[in-house]
Each structure stands twice: as structure tokens, then as C-alpha cells.
Amino acid sequence: MRILGIESSCDECSAAVVEDGRRILSNIVATQIPFHADYNGVVPEIASRMHTEWISRVVKDALAAAGTARSDLAGGAATARPGLSGSLLVGLTFGKAFAWARGLPFIAVDHMLGHLYAPRLLGDIEYPYLGLLVSGGHSIICRVDDFDDITVLGTTIDDAVGEAFDKVAVHYKLGYPGGAVIDKLARSGNPDAFRFPLPNLHKGAHRCDVSYSGLKTAVVNQLEQFRAVDAPTGNADIAASFQKAAVEILLRALLRAQEDTGLTTIVAGGGVAANSYLRARLAARKDLRCLFPPLELCGDNGAMIAGVGYKFLERGDRSPLSATVSARVPAFKRRYP
Ligand code: KG4
Ligand code: ZN
């Protein structure tokens, strides 16, 4: 069963063909990063405009690369939330029209379900497990009982972890997006050179929540002092120390979730799951089994959407043509009211 998956929630225009929710036949990712870099962040109007210009070609290329004719497809899926509304609308509308014109079943997919599904494109992972969803827009620690049965245990109370990497990188004048640049710069720095404050831990319902605005501000203030004394060599140390603190915040929350649920398998997803220090710290925990998607499936891509789409379509779920987008957080259950 071959499914076409379309992803356009932010600045990647992507389409993929995946067979049986597992075999990636093609996964075309056209990134808009160079077009947003001058602005140090994604400009929504530019993003939706570029998706409009690229989507048709990207889908065509995905079908050609998969050696798949339109008539070989069993269904279509596209991201409907969360993300930039104007960008989401392009992929979702294209996907609906594509499927309708060919009489194919269609399903609208949650982007975060896609990130969680990405490691499953490589092989089965037995439920339940803990999910660590870390991207530019979200930081979510959740219990995963099925591909669509997600309970949020903790989330950020302010900035997302990827956003903190991006904002710090802007202050370094390293460009956008900052995660990969800081990851690389940090390798030549001393992670213990600066001790940045970690947020207070909370009790009760919020014990697995994380926060990044305090860390971000502390790091930015530190940079201002460095600039004042013109000591650019300190940048790598700050990057390494910031990255260590950022990962520490995630680990503390994850360990609490592990304590609460007794689950020891952790499945990561989202752009920040590409972070080498996060991967190394989790790999070092012999008490946990940590599974990461391959680097090319950490960021936004159509394959993860096709994968989730397959699971829904296989069990007969369909979205109506009236399905629309939502910029808001994913529709996951919460552990607490
Ligand atoms: O999942 P994604 O591609 O898009 C969203 O859904 O937001 O995640 C993008 C985020 C950006 O904030 C980017 O800086 C971050 O992932 N990122 C990283 C790394 N690679 C990408 N953060 C830390 N380390 C990395 N190696
Ligand atoms: Zn994403």
C-alpha cells in the first residue's frame, strides 16, 4: 500500500512515497532555509509563497524518484497542524485536491505524530514507551501507547528547546537555524566553562515540564559580556555550556517521566533529536533504551507523514474535504486536566 505524504508546516517543502508505513521509496525535502536566513527566522509570508511555487514540482519528483505512477498510490496524507497556517494550507490543499482528483482516500495528519513515527519507518518498536518530541516549535515528553494514542506528561512552559538554540545562535551571529551550528561549535568548547542556571523543578502536575526562556536569557547576557571584552574564542565554550544545560533540562524531565511511568524505552523525534550531545548523553544511560531516527528523518519530511497516513488509512480513517489547518499545539491528551 503506497501512500503519498506531504509536509509543508514550516520551511521545508517535502513529499514522499512510503510503502506499508515502512519502506521509504522516496523522500524529497526542498528546504527554504537560504530564503529565510537573512531574517534570522522563518518569514511566514515567504514560506507560504515558496510552498505554493514548489509543491507541484516536489510531489512530481517524489513520485518519479519512487518509480510510482499516480495510479499505484493507495492514498494521500498531508500535515494539517500544528505549524504556520499559510504554509500548512498549501500542502493540505494540494494533498486534498490531488487525492480527490484521483478518487484516493485522504487523511490530514498531525505533524508531531509524524515526528514520533519517524523511527518506526525503520522497524517496529513495542508500545508503550516514552516519546521525546523536540523541535523548533515544541518540547514534549509523552507516554506513547499507540501511533495515535499519546499522553503528554510534560511540555515547555515558555520557549521550545529548538527555539532556544535558534535565538542563541542569532546572538552569536551564526545565522538561522542555529541548532546544527551550535552543535558543531560546541564540539571544540568546554561544556563546564560556564554554569548556566537551570529552571526550578515543579511539583505535581507540572513535574515533567521544562522551561528555556531563563537559560536563553542567561546565555545571551553572557555573550554581551564577551562581546564587550572582545573575546570571540569564548564562543565555543558558551555554545558547549549552553548545549549542556539545554540537554540537562530535557534529561531531568525525562527521568521524572521515567520514574512516574516505569517506562525505560525512549523514542526521540524532531529537529533537535539530531543533536549529537543529546544523543551521546542518552546513549550513555545504561538504564534506558534510547531510539533516535536517522539524521535525515529528524527534521521535517514527508516520509513521516506518509507513515502516519498509512496507519490511519489502513484502519479506514478518512478526512473530509472540509478538513482544515490549525496553528495550535497537537491534539494530544494530557495526563492531568
Ligand atoms: O522538526 P524541525 O525540523 O522543525 C519544527 O518542527 O520545528 O526542527 C527544527 C529545529 C530548529 O530549531 C533547529 O535549530 C533544531 O531543530 N535543530 C537542532 C539540530 N538540528 C536542528 N538543534 C540542536 N542540535 C541540532 N543538531
Ligand atoms: Zn517538525
Side-chain angles (χ1 to χ4, degrees):
M1 194 167 158
R2 292 185 180 187
I3 305 295
L4 171 71
I6 296 174
E7 157 60 38
S8 71
S9 66
C10 191
D11 57 350
E12 323 287 0
C13 188
S14 180
V17 178
V18 174
E19 191 161 59
D20 297 335
R22 183 59 47 81
R23 215 156 71 83
I24 301 175
L25 302 182
S26 67
N27 191 21
I28 305 290
V29 182
T31 183
Q32 302 177 356
I33 286 173
F35 301 89
H36 299 285
D38 283 353
Y39 305 94
N40 287 326
V42 178
V43 183
E45 174 60 28
I46 294 177
S48 52
R49 199 173 279 241
M50 302 210 69
H51 283 304
T52 310
E53 286 170 15
W54 290 2
I55 187 75
S56 181
R57 174 71 192 277
V58 166
V59 168
K60 233 184 223 167
D61 286 358
L63 290 171
T68 300
R70 288 169 172 78
S71 54
D72 296 334
L73 288 170
T79 308
R81 68 183 168 275
L84 300 170
S85 296
S87 293
L88 286 163
L89 269 172
V90 177
L92 181 70
T93 308
F94 191 98
K96 286 194 294 187
F98 183 97
W100 175 78
R102 291 162 185 84
L104 294 172
F106 175 80
I107 190 85
V109 169
D110 189 302
H111 181 78
M112 302 314 285
L113 280 188
H115 276 309
L116 255 187
Y117 190 87
R120 304 188 69 87
L121 287 164
L122 301 175
D124 253 344
I125 309 167
E126 205 182 320
Y127 295 111
Y129 47 76
L130 288 176
L132 175 66
L133 284 170
V134 278
S135 70
H138 297 276
S139 313
I140 297 172
I141 290 163
C142 51
R143 180 190 162 101
V144 186
D145 284 285
D146 203 342
F147 80 95
D148 65 338
D149 186 1
I150 317 290
T151 309
V152 175
L153 305 174
T155 185
T156 182
I157 58 164
D158 40 54
D159 297 344
V161 54
E163 192 182 343
F165 272 88
D166 295 337
K167 298 254 168 76
V168 167
V170 166
H171 280 267
Y172 274 92
K173 299 205 186 317
L174 294 174
Y176 179 89
V181 191
I182 289 184
D183 191 345
K184 196 162 162 219
L185 183 63
R187 281 175 212 160
S188 54
N190 172 8
D192 298 314
F194 297 90
R195 191 159 302 182
F196 292 120
L198 300 182
N200 290 335
L201 289 167
H202 293 278
K203 290 200 175 108
H206 292 283
R207 53 183 251 112
C208 300
D209 281 349
V210 297
S211 158
Y212 280 95
S213 68
L215 172 63
K216 181 190 71 186
T217 306
V219 176
V220 167
N221 288 344
Q222 190 68 56
L223 267 166
E224 296 304 331
Q225 288 178 31
F226 259 101
R227 260 196 216 118
V229 294
D230 193 21
T233 46
N235 279 357
D237 285 346
I238 293 183
S241 304
F242 157 70
Q243 181 174 260
K244 182 178 177 185
V247 167
E248 204 69 54
I249 292 170
L250 287 179
L251 291 183
R252 285 192 324 181
L254 258 182
L255 290 178
R256 287 180 150 214
Q258 187 253 320
E259 234 174 77
D260 290 356
T261 58
L263 297 174
T264 50
T265 298
I266 294 168
V267 175
V272 183
N275 186 266
S276 60
Y277 183 76
L278 172 68
R279 286 173 173 246
R281 285 293 300 273
L282 279 171
R285 304 274 326 194
K286 296 301 166 218
D287 52 335
L288 304 173
R289 175 172 164 248
C290 300
L291 305 170
F292 285 86
L295 291 184
E296 67 276 13
L297 294 179
C298 286
D300 296 346
N301 66 86
M304 65 186 195
I305 302 304
V308 175
Y310 165 78
K311 299 298 288 181
F312 280 118
L313 293 171
E314 184 200 23
R315 73 175 187 205
D317 288 352
R318 308 282 184 266
S319 294
L321 278 179
S322 58
T324 191
V325 302
S326 166
R328 294 170 63 81
V329 291
F332 294 171
K333 289 181 292 195
R334 285 206 72 98
R335 176 179 61 171
Y336 36 85

